[in-house]
Amino acid sequence: MNILNLFVIIPMLTVGGILLTKDLKQSRLVSAIGMGFQLILSFVLVYLYLKERQAGNTAAMLFTYDALWFPSLNIHYALGVDGISAAMIALTGIVVFAGIFASWKMELLPREFFISLIILASGVFGFFISLDLFTMFLFYELAVIPMYLLIGIWGSGPKEYSAMKLTLMLMAGSAMLLVGLLGIYFFSSPDPHALTFNLIEISKAHIPIGMQRFLFPFTFIGFGILGALFPFHTWSPDGHASAPTAVSMLHAGVLMKLGGYGAFRVAIFLMPEAAHEQAWIFLILTAISVVYGAFSAIVQTDLKYINAYSSVSHCGLVLFAVLMMNQTAMNGAIVQMISHGLMTALFFALIGMIYGRTHTRLINEMGGLMKVIPFLGVVYVIAGLASLGLPGFSGFVAEMIIFVGSFQHTDLFHRVITIVAASSIVITAVYILRVVGTLLLGPIKNDHFLHLEDAKWYERISTITLVIAITAIGTAPYWLTDMINYSLVPIVQKLSSIQLTSLY
Amino acid sequence: MDYTYTLFIPLVPLFVFLILGLLGHKMPPIVAGLIGTLGLGLSAVLSYFTAMNYFWTSHVPETAYTSIKGFEVPWLHLTEKLTIHLGVLIDPISVMMLVVITTVSLMVHIYSIGYMKGDPGFYRFFSFLSLFSFSMLGLVLATNIFQMYIFWELVGVSSFLLIGFYYEKPSAVAASKKAFIVTRFADLGFLIGILMLSFNTGTFDFQTLTDPHGPAIAQAGGVAFMGMSVLTWSLIFIFVGGAGKSAMFPFHIWLPDAMEGPTPVSALIHAATMVVAGVYLVARLFPVFALGAPDALHVVAWIGGFSSIFAAVIACTQTDIKRVLAFSTMSQIGYMMLALGVSGYGGEEGLGFMASNFHLFTHAMFKALLFLGAGAVIHAVHSNEIGDMGNLRKYLPITHITFLIACLTIAGIPPFSGFFSKDEILAAAFRDNKLLFAIEYIVAGLTAFYMFRLYYGIFWGKKTHYHHTPHEAPKVMTIPLLILAFGSVFAGFLPFHNLVTSDGKGFESHIDWMIAIPSVLIGVLGIAIATVMYKSETAIPDKMAQSFKHLYKWASRKFYMDEVYLFVTRKIIFRYISMPIAWFDRHIVDGTMNGIAGITQYAAYSIKGLQSGKLQQYAFVFVSGTVILVLIFVYLV
């Protein structure tokens, strides 16, 4: 049996298992076992993938599986992974696992909560393993829809408003995406009887340049909305602020990555000419995201808003690097997706844990927490240092690859925009240190906080898993980047093979 | 000769850091302190062994010192040409730095066992010290500029952690933030410089970059922007990073505030090691500067020269003893930068290079001694203010003598080590630029003056009544003072001109008495003025302050640089950039999205009446529609 099918089957079995459970204790146990198994499976996949490559398999996609699903439109259930998707799957496995432990005390409707969470996760897994655009889109929707329930029911604050806003904006993105994907389908082959949704086959064909010019913005913005592209990012602060902890973790950690991954794998890979032509517009937008998100984060007072804007900034860097369209920068984009996924999941987990103790998320009302909850405090500092790009953590690796990659363009426009994006490392330091200084250091402001309990065992599992992943990438990045680089070669070849008219 | 073992010089402190960081809270404090100290001791022994080996044992006399890669592994592939490696590079300056760092760090470790006694964060302190030592050793051993950048950031964060060690004090938190952000801003320049340099040369590697026939220096020609070559620009950007870390004007503002950290930290990081990283960076890339971009070197010289006099003037007016020392550090680092800036490459031309490293070495000894001495004083009187001290020579005899030695050393009085290194710098400046030379003469006088103002203020001066009789520090603190005093006295006799030179070859060097005698005299003059003014309580200082009212006020307020920075950060960045952006995001961008939603909803409400489900209404609309159509057809068509 193909290993990739398991990535869809295990979540289904887990959901089935949760349906049989009666209370919180049982359902969280089933979820933890199921997702623990999924985590192991992700690493097995990475291991098998690397083994296969060492054995000399040079196919672009490994572990492929294909079943015809809807013959009249030639829709397949086609699966396959390369180094990039394998890495993304490992990320998802880690974040989902950590997310289950972060919602260990979900008292309200626990069964329904875990079911929705795992359906969301299965959508993400399915998205990363799909090779068929239609199936990919289906999994994408599967991941987005539970979000509405998760925020609307288990959220806090103006949750209905936030849930509605998030869902509607992402649906608008989906609608644009659908236009893009159908357009790609209808021009996937000159022969009207050989139209296909298969990613690899379309990449070999050539979509007429006129169509590309029209379809590229739809596809890129469609994915870009999920990747918090300026000015379509405003669902992110409200959505994250209202979402329960695990949902924020999953959403910022992996769901936003669907945007970056899709923009890279579908929009740019399939429509390289249009991408080259229009890159400058989106480069400007993403550079704005990077700097603007960071500046906005400086003045926020709600921890979740700070982190949401920080995500806008970091995810902006992902799309920024993707648009640089060379091997190094794209590699950096993938690493940044993984790095940001881990860091932001860690942040949201910690914010949830702190909120659970202090019942406030406003940094001005807190202070000196390091003294009372040292474990959470230290992990928060680690997350902050990782986020501001300290060597030894994943963020540094990702940012440096991106900047070096972007600097390979010699023209003034790219140079200037790279320096603008690079300046975010200073602004990031400002808001991270501001939060750390106000929240954790200094004197204790509120006497109620003197008796807070430090992290429980399940909270430690959740945070330590993420910290290990962040440091592993930060100290030994070569295994990850080499894996990604190998799979980037055919993509970059395609991008550079096209006829480049003088654009800049 | 195989230098693989040098790998353990940084790795031992790293290992100690991990042990103390993870398990330190379960240990009795003294065990944590001993583990830290022994770990560093091991590094120190290895460093001395390396130095012996490199400079003497395995060196063939009469040949040039070469740079050797002891170890190197690829860490991250970036592009086809560029790969980041991690490794150790052994050459005269890195070996010299190993000795400096491990010596001072070991002294500070021993001293801290006494100084930090009873502090609840004892193990944390030692784990941070180990982290810092690891990062700093990694920085000096870097084989390539990117590795240096990696460790550059790590020393930055260790400095941040140690300045904010007393994290319950808001002032310490603010100081640590300021230090990190200001240096981070400068590091952005460093990063851009690295990107430019590596893109144009295709390498990060120091050996390739500094090769006089290598790709970097070949880039020297050509004009890119504002009359300077790409190489010059990239080196200037890199120097910005160095200026940030070394507290050169205008990035110096973090250094005085950094004194919020525990005093041993100030001695280690903010006097002897981390703050000279900028000097080390320029020295590391020196052949590129000297052969490829003399313009960039002029920038280094002038920034160094200006910082040295700027800081010296401020130092004369400060009343917090640690801040006096902080500005003194800035001034002395300015000296080192200037020496590099006026130096040429090769043989005697490289006098400035040698002098800079020489001064770095002697300065590390005497400045660490001054800070540790100040720590012993603070330990005794529980205050940093010069006004709370006086007449302490009776109570603290060992501290008094060692502090006096350090003051004489920094004032450049022979035969102490500062005399020799300062003299070489002045000689180098004299050859190259008379104006800078003159500035340095003035600085030499000012240095002697403010140091003895400090010395008399602490150990002589008015009779102060203390609540508790001050007592000398315990042996664990005074022994490091004595060892460093020994170093300060005798380090001047080291034959630096044969060991650490710009091209690895030794050259003849002798004291130029035409320069040395006036410099000693101006030092003595400074001491004399300080003696008259401060030895016993007189009214002269106040009168002086009165007659130079404006200058005094400006200098004591540090020329209002802090206020300028506050204006930029608080007002401009926070209020005029961030707040409007956040407002714009909430009200304009998000407002548009909400507006679209609102319009949709409004439209829906407006047309909702049409779908009422009432049959009579539908029939009515249908009939009226038909009637209207019929009327239109009848009358209009």
Side-chain angles (χ1 to χ4, degrees):
Chain A
M1 170 155 175
N2 189 307
I3 181 172
L4 294 180
N5 280 319
L6 288 175
F7 281 97
V8 185
I9 293 171
I10 290 178
M12 281 182 192
L13 289 178
T14 314
V15 167
I18 299 172
L19 282 173
L20 300 176
T21 60
K22 288 193 202 72
D23 57 359
L24 169 65
K25 272 187 187 165
Q26 292 176 347
S27 48
R28 72 189 179 194
L29 188 68
V30 173
S31 313
I33 292 171
M35 290 303 109
F37 202 68
Q38 188 91 334
L39 175 65
I40 296 166
L41 194 67
S42 334
F43 281 98
V44 171
L45 176 71
V46 171
Y47 171 75
L48 289 176
Y49 174 84
L50 291 174
K51 214 171 107 181
E52 194 78 0
R53 283 288 182 224
Q54 269 178 355
N57 191 336
T58 56
M61 293 287 168
L62 301 187
F63 310 112
T64 47
Y65 175 85
D66 200 316
L68 186 60
W69 180 43
F70 198 80
S72 60
L73 285 174
N74 197 14
I75 296 173
H76 290 250
Y77 173 70
L79 308 180
V81 288
D82 62 359
I84 302 161
S85 30
M88 298 308 291
I89 287 169
L91 163 75
T92 314
I94 295 169
V95 173
V96 174
F97 180 76
I100 298 289
F101 281 93
S103 19
W104 206 244
K105 289 280 178 194
M106 178 50 71
E107 302 287 352
L108 177 71
L109 300 175
R111 283 195 325 165
E112 289 76 1
F113 177 81
F114 283 109
I115 288 172
S116 314
L117 202 64
I118 287 168
I119 290 177
L120 194 167
S122 66
V124 176
F125 279 113
F127 181 86
F128 286 132
I129 58 176
S130 299
L131 291 181
D132 185 282
L133 292 180
F134 195 86
T135 317
M136 199 184 232
F137 184 71
L138 205 74
F139 277 119
Y140 175 93
E141 292 297 314
L142 190 63
V144 172
I145 302 288
M147 205 52 118
Y148 179 75
L149 299 175
L150 283 166
I151 298 176
I153 298 173
W154 290 276
S156 59
K159 56 188 180 185
E160 288 87 2
Y161 165 76
S162 304
M164 187 62 102
K165 181 170 184 174
L166 181 137
T167 316
L168 283 181
M169 284 186 76
L170 295 187
M171 281 295 141
S174 302
M176 294 184 77
L177 201 54
L178 194 60
V179 174
L181 295 184
L182 290 178
I184 292 174
Y185 169 71
F186 285 115
F187 290 91
S188 62
S189 165
D191 173 13
H193 300 291
L195 298 179
T196 174
F197 274 110
N198 189 299
L199 199 67
I200 305 297
E201 282 172 35
I202 302 172
S203 77
K204 289 175 192 150
H206 182 86
I207 301 173
I209 177 80
M211 265 343 271
Q212 286 193 21
R213 285 190 186 123
F214 174 71
L215 293 175
F216 180 78
F218 276 99
T219 323
F220 192 86
I221 295 177
F223 280 119
I225 291 181
L226 192 54
L229 174 69
F230 175 86
F232 310 109
H233 63 276
T234 57
W235 56 267
S236 159
D238 289 321
H240 285 315
S242 294
T245 302
V247 176
S248 288
M249 287 170 73
L250 250 72
H251 194 194
V254 292
L255 204 58
M256 281 170 89
K257 305 300 160 307
L258 263 53
Y261 182 87
F264 156 77
R265 178 72 19 109
V266 180
I268 289 180
F269 184 43
L270 299 183
M271 293 175 281
E273 284 96 343
H276 267 290
E277 279 183 10
Q278 298 173 6
W280 66 275
I281 305 172
F282 294 110
L283 272 176
I284 293 175
L285 286 183
T286 50
I288 293 176
S289 287
V290 173
V291 178
Y292 173 99
F295 270 123
S296 302
I298 291 185
V299 288
Q300 303 301 322
T301 50
D302 182 317
L303 282 175
K304 277 199 165 180
Y305 273 89
I306 293 170
N307 206 32
Y309 278 110
S310 156
S311 291
V312 170
S313 172
H314 283 126
C315 286
L317 208 52
V318 172
L319 293 175
F320 174 83
V322 163
L323 287 163
M324 283 290 170
M325 292 199 280
N326 63 35
Q327 173 128 13
T328 311
M330 284 185 158
N331 192 346
I334 314 288
V335 181
Q336 171 77 354
M337 279 198 243
I338 293 168
S339 157
H340 172 257
L342 296 167
M343 286 177 332
T344 202
L346 181 56
F347 261 128
F348 277 121
L350 289 165
I351 293 169
M353 291 166 194
I354 291 172
Y355 179 71
R357 289 168 169 75
T358 60
H359 305 292
T360 174
R361 284 197 312 253
L362 298 179
I363 53 170
N364 301 333
E365 292 178 6
M366 293 183 265
L369 291 185
M370 182 66 96
K371 189 111 191 143
V372 279
I373 42 174
F375 179 86
L376 292 179
V378 168
V379 179
Y380 203 99
V381 172
I382 291 176
L385 293 177
S387 179
L388 62 76
L390 188 77
F393 300 116
S394 55
F396 175 79
V397 175
E399 284 172 5
M400 290 307 125
I401 304 177
I402 290 174
F403 297 144
V404 171
S406 311
F407 219 75
Q408 303 303 312
H409 290 273
T410 48
D411 58 294
L412 191 65
F413 171 72
H414 282 95
R415 283 283 156 88
V416 169
I417 211 156
T418 304
I419 291 174
V420 169
S423 69
S424 70
I425 63 170
V426 183
I427 315 167
T428 309
V430 174
Y431 68 76
I432 294 288
L433 294 188
R434 172 172 169 262
V435 176
V436 168
T438 323
L439 175 72
L440 301 171
L441 311 178
I444 297 173
K445 282 204 190 124
N446 190 332
D447 287 342
H448 296 300
F449 296 163
L450 282 173
H451 307 291
L452 299 182
E453 264 184 283
D454 208 356
K456 294 269 202 303
W457 66 268
Y458 48 84
E459 292 171 327
R460 284 176 198 244
I461 290 182
S462 177
T463 48
I464 289 174
T465 313
L466 293 166
V467 169
I468 289 175
I470 291 169
T471 13
I473 297 173
T475 47
Y478 40 81
W479 61 267
L480 178 64
T481 52
D482 287 355
M483 187 167 101
I484 296 168
N485 258 333
Y486 188 93
S487 299
L488 275 174
V489 172
I491 295 172
V492 172
Q493 268 170 2
K494 178 173 159 66
L495 292 185
S496 56
S497 70
I498 55 168
Q499 286 287 315
L500 274 186
T501 45
S502 59
L503 296 165
Y504 300 109
Chain B
M1 183 60 207
D2 184 22
Y3 285 102
T4 318
Y5 65 87
T6 49
L7 190 60
F8 288 98
I9 299 175
L11 285 186
V12 172
L14 173 65
F15 187 62
V16 170
F17 162 68
L18 292 175
I19 291 181
L20 293 183
L22 295 174
L23 305 170
H25 58 285
K26 291 184 181 143
M27 297 174 186
I30 189 68
V31 176
L34 280 178
I35 290 177
T37 312
L38 289 176
L40 218 276
L42 185 58
S43 282
V45 169
L46 279 173
S47 301
Y48 296 146
F49 180 72
T50 313
M52 280 301 292
N53 209 344
Y54 182 77
F55 283 128
W56 291 288
T57 323
S58 67
H59 178 244
V60 184
E62 308 298 320
T63 58
Y65 287 103
T66 52
S67 79
I68 302 162
K69 269 184 193 152
F71 175 81
E72 191 167 65
V73 285
W75 187 64
L76 183 59
H77 297 287
L78 291 173
T79 65
E80 281 161 28
K81 286 191 225 156
L82 296 174
T83 298
I84 303 176
H85 288 84
L86 294 183
V88 293
L89 184 68
I90 299 295
D91 77 343
I93 51 173
S94 69
V95 174
M96 178 204 77
M97 286 301 288
L98 285 183
V99 173
V100 170
I101 295 163
T102 51
T103 308
V104 177
S105 184
L106 183 61
M107 292 308 124
V108 165
H109 271 80
I110 297 170
Y111 181 92
S112 303
I113 293 178
Y115 189 86
M116 298 302 288
K117 197 175 171 189
D119 193 290
F122 196 82
Y123 81 90
R124 192 161 51 89
F125 183 77
F126 277 88
S127 72
F128 289 171
L129 275 190
S130 301
L131 174 65
F132 171 76
S133 305
F134 157 70
S135 321
M136 193 65 211
L137 291 165
L139 190 158
V140 298
L141 287 171
T143 58
N144 59 77
I145 194 161
F146 216 107
Q147 183 188 353
M148 198 171 191
Y149 182 72
I150 290 173
F151 285 97
W152 192 269
E153 293 294 308
L154 287 176
V155 288
V157 83
S158 340
S159 163
F160 165 77
L161 292 171
L162 283 164
I163 295 171
F165 181 76
Y166 299 120
Y167 62 83
E168 284 163 70
K169 248 170 72 182
S171 59
V173 176
S176 64
K177 253 163 58 176
K178 186 170 175 184
F180 193 89
I181 290 167
V182 172
T183 50
R184 194 83 209 263
F185 181 71
D187 291 349
L188 177 63
F190 191 8
L191 178 63
I192 294 170
I194 293 176
L195 291 176
M196 285 167 72
L197 187 66
S198 62
F199 179 77
N200 289 307
T201 58
T203 182
F204 292 129
D205 189 75
F206 281 132
Q207 283 179 336
T208 323
L209 282 173
T210 55
D211 179 359
H213 310 290
I217 292 164
Q219 296 269 331
V223 171
F225 185 58
M226 281 175 61
M228 292 194 276
S229 67
V230 184
L231 185 68
T232 309
W233 277 108
S234 41
L235 288 178
I236 290 176
F237 273 117
I238 289 176
F239 175 66
V240 168
K245 211 56 122 197
S246 286
M248 289 290 98
F249 183 86
F251 298 111
H252 64 278
I253 45 145
W254 64 269
L255 187 62
D257 292 33
M259 299 298 131
E260 289 287 344
T263 308
V265 168
S266 313
L268 176 60
I269 302 185
H270 307 117
T273 58
M274 188 190 82
V275 286
V276 295
V279 178
Y280 182 76
L281 173 64
V282 177
R284 175 50 80 210
L285 288 171
F286 187 71
V288 197
F289 272 96
L291 299 174
D295 287 342
L297 213 49
H298 290 151
V299 174
V300 175
W302 280 101
I303 296 280
F306 180 75
S307 302
S308 70
I309 190 157
F310 180 81
V313 171
I314 297 177
C316 295
T317 61
Q318 298 298 303
T319 56
D320 178 318
I321 60 171
K322 284 181 76 181
R323 287 184 187 228
V324 174
L325 293 177
F327 280 106
S328 156
T329 306
M330 177 182 164
S331 169
Q332 298 293 314
I333 294 170
Y335 256 113
M336 298 172 208
M337 286 287 188
L338 173 125
L340 286 173
V342 296
S343 178
Y345 179 76
E348 284 209 57
E349 286 293 303
L351 178 66
F353 178 89
M354 182 279 273
S356 174
N357 283 294
F358 194 8
H359 199 60
L360 192 161
F361 188 86
T362 56
H363 173 259
M365 299 295 157
F366 64 69
K367 191 49 71 63
L369 174 56
L370 283 170
F371 266 108
L372 294 184
V377 171
I378 294 167
H379 192 73
V381 302
H382 304 289
S383 166
N384 285 6
E385 283 297 316
I386 227 171
D388 298 336
M389 301 166 189
N391 225 9
L392 281 171
R393 66 184 185 284
K394 285 184 219 152
Y395 305 109
L396 308 173
I398 301 176
T399 310
H400 168 231
I401 293 299
T402 53
F403 203 88
L404 176 61
I405 290 173
C407 288
L408 288 168
T409 312
I410 192 174
I413 304 300
F416 300 112
S417 59
F419 163 72
F420 296 96
S421 53
K422 195 180 270 185
D423 180 63
E424 305 282 13
I425 291 180
L426 290 170
F430 184 73
R431 281 188 196 175
D432 191 74
N433 190 324
K434 300 287 185 292
L435 179 57
L436 283 171
F437 171 75
I439 291 177
E440 293 320 292
Y441 249 102
I442 300 170
V443 175
L446 285 173
T447 308
F449 170 75
Y450 68 70
M451 284 316 297
F452 276 83
R453 167 178 173 261
L454 185 66
Y455 165 74
Y456 286 124
I458 298 173
F459 295 103
W460 296 71
K462 60 186 185 300
K463 298 255 186 301
T464 310
H465 291 284
Y466 298 101
H467 290 299
H468 309 281
T469 314
H471 51 84
E472 182 62 282
K475 280 216 178 61
V476 71
M477 286 166 70
T478 51
I479 288 172
L481 292 180
L482 292 169
I483 296 174
L484 286 170
F486 180 83
S488 306
V489 174
F490 294 106
F493 299 107
L494 285 171
F496 258 69
H497 52 91
N498 284 329
L499 303 178
V500 183
T501 55
S502 57
D503 55 357
K505 302 185 191 101
F507 61 89
E508 277 306 304
S509 163
H510 46 81
I511 291 170
D512 184 349
W513 291 105
M514 290 306 291
I515 291 170
I517 292 173
S519 92
V520 173
L521 287 179
I522 198 167
V524 172
L525 180 70
I527 296 173
I529 296 174
T531 312
V532 173
M533 285 170 69
Y534 298 104
K535 187 170 175 219
S536 52
E537 216 172 352
T538 61
I540 306 173
D542 291 337
K543 277 187 193 161
M544 292 282 284
Q546 275 300 317
S547 45
F548 297 101
K549 209 158 121 194
H550 295 290
L551 178 65
Y552 181 81
K553 196 175 164 210
W554 275 68
S556 69
R557 298 302 302 274
K558 304 168 210 157
F559 294 98
Y560 296 95
M561 285 302 287
D562 276 340
E563 282 75 5
V564 171
Y565 272 87
L566 272 184
F567 178 75
V568 171
T569 50
R570 284 273 160 77
K571 284 269 154 91
I572 297 187
I573 305 234
F574 197 79
R575 185 157 312 156
Y576 296 128
I577 297 182
S578 297
M579 299 277 256
I581 284 183
W583 184 88
F584 177 80
D585 190 65
R586 286 285 87 189
H587 295 93
I588 308 292
V589 180
D590 196 35
T592 312
M593 297 298 161
N594 282 342
I596 292 172
I599 291 169
T600 315
Q601 208 169 18
Y602 177 75
Y605 273 115
S606 330
I607 59 172
K608 152 173 113 163
L610 293 180
Q611 299 265 331
S612 61
K614 290 179 187 151
L615 204 57
Q616 303 96 308
Q617 192 188 0
Y618 290 165
F620 173 74
V621 172
F622 172 70
V623 172
S624 8
T626 317
V627 171
I628 291 168
L629 280 177
V630 167
L631 289 176
I632 288 173
F633 274 104
V634 170
Y635 287 99
L636 293 181
V637 179

